[in-house]
Amino acid sequence: MNAQIDGVRLAGTPQGPVPVLVLGVEGEDDVVPIFIGLEEATSIARGLEAADIGRPLTHDLLLDVMEELGGRIEKVVITEIEERDAEGGTYIADLHVTTPRDSVVIDARPSDSLALAARTNVPIEVAESVFESGRDDREKFEELTDLREVRGELE
């Protein structure tokens, strides 16, 4: 299923605000929320803004090194969700990369893969089973604060 990053927002929890990456899926009203760490959320938000902040951060560096070595990200696929519970679950992703020698699939965290996708505009796919297991009401997440609005306060 084709997807796109709808945003990175902050969800209120008893432990405080937690970043949540919201994936919209083509042709579906529901979204797939993926709770991630603050550093990864900030990196994805920066990638979406396409702002040059000077020296590269980790995801910028990884992308620069990959491209200098002749590699190119082709797509990101969210393939599985494990340990599903009330707070989400553990999502599994594959990063599809073409190199001068071959095409490879690299196991990667969804947050890292999507941080790279935000910088390259490559296709994002979600396995249908992941969508069905992880789907949630879009409106719940549209009401949350966008991380880009409060990022300076959190850093």
Side-chain angles (χ1 to χ4, degrees):
M1 303 176 82
N2 295 327
Q4 70 284 336
I5 299 171
D6 277 0
V8 182
R9 300 200 169 78
L10 288 173
T13 70
Q15 294 78 28
V18 175
V20 58
L21 171 82
V22 181
L23 285 179
V25 176
E26 195 173 284
E28 298 290 342
D29 291 331
D30 287 344
V31 296
V32 177
I34 302 175
F35 290 85
I36 59 177
L38 182 58
E39 293 299 319
E40 294 82 1
T42 301
S43 182
I44 292 167
R46 283 194 170 121
L48 292 171
E49 291 172 343
D52 183 5
I53 61 167
R55 297 184 54 88
L57 298 174
T58 304
H59 294 109
D60 303 306
L61 177 62
L62 176 59
L63 185 59
D64 288 347
V65 169
M66 187 183 316
E67 290 175 348
E68 283 296 320
L69 295 173
R72 187 177 74 236
I73 299 171
E74 294 297 325
K75 67 181 175 180
V76 170
V77 182
I78 312 300
T79 58
E80 294 180 59
I81 182 171
E82 297 177 345
E83 302 172 23
R84 182 81 174 126
D85 57 24
E87 295 158 1
T90 301
Y91 288 82
I92 309 297
D94 287 337
L95 189 62
H96 292 250
V97 178
T98 300
T99 71
R101 291 181 292 159
D102 204 357
S103 292
V104 295
V105 177
I106 301 167
D107 176 39
R109 295 185 311 173
S111 56
D112 292 328
S113 299
L114 293 167
L116 294 168
R119 289 161 168 73
T120 57
N121 296 315
V122 298
I124 300 168
E125 298 176 10
V126 174
E128 189 170 346
S129 61
V130 170
F131 176 73
E132 291 303 328
S133 182
R135 72 190 299 170
D136 207 335
D137 182 21
R138 179 183 302 272
E139 289 181 19
K140 285 173 44 178
F141 298 93
E142 287 177 345
E143 298 169 3
L144 300 177
T145 303
D146 189 299
L147 179 70
R148 293 177 283 184
E149 294 174 18
V150 296
R151 190 174 66 221
E153 299 168 25
L154 298 172
E155 294 176 339

